[in-house]
Amino acid sequence: MSSHTWTIDSITHALPYPELRATFQQQVSFTEVSKLPDILARWVRFITDIEAGHAELERVRDHVREHGRLPDGYDQDTRESVSRYEEIKARIEAQRRQGHNAA
């Protein structure tokens, strides 16, 4: 996890979609206190995964701007790259759907 000092408020503001924020707030509000550390840790992991993906995207974008091509090891047509993208996209969409279903 990142070195960020996390609070309920900072986790809420770090979530990229209103549906995710609502789901998080609902889980925190209606979860038994003894289970909160696990819930909070899961959300912080989710946020740090998003942040890591964003940092990697920025790095690749900067490389493409500077060199006009993807960095070594990246091939936009490889199944691995597409699979990694689809995995992240599916996780975010699942979280969004979970937020819609909870509302």
Side-chain angles (χ1 to χ4, degrees), residues 19-93:
E19 299 91 350
L20 288 174
R21 291 188 288 275
T23 299
F24 169 71
Q25 287 292 329
Q26 182 181 35
Q27 287 181 2
V28 170
S29 296
F30 296 107
T31 296
E32 183 181 316
V33 171
S34 65
K35 296 178 182 176
L36 278 175
D38 292 335
I39 296 289
L40 296 172
R42 183 171 56 88
W43 281 99
V44 168
R45 275 192 308 275
F46 178 75
I47 292 165
T48 56
D49 287 349
I50 290 172
E51 289 173 347
H54 182 71
E56 177 66 6
L57 178 62
E58 292 294 320
R59 185 187 75 76
V60 170
R61 187 174 64 189
D62 291 345
H63 184 89
V64 169
R65 283 183 180 154
E66 183 178 338
H67 302 285
R69 62 176 177 76
L70 290 168
D72 293 339
Y74 277 86
D75 179 355
Q76 56 198 114
D77 296 327
T78 63
R79 290 181 190 192
E80 183 179 316
S81 296
V82 170
S83 175
R84 210 170 7 162
Y85 167 77
E86 292 297 331
E87 227 175 86
I88 293 168
K89 182 178 171 186
R91 282 184 18 206
I92 291 171
E93 289 302 317

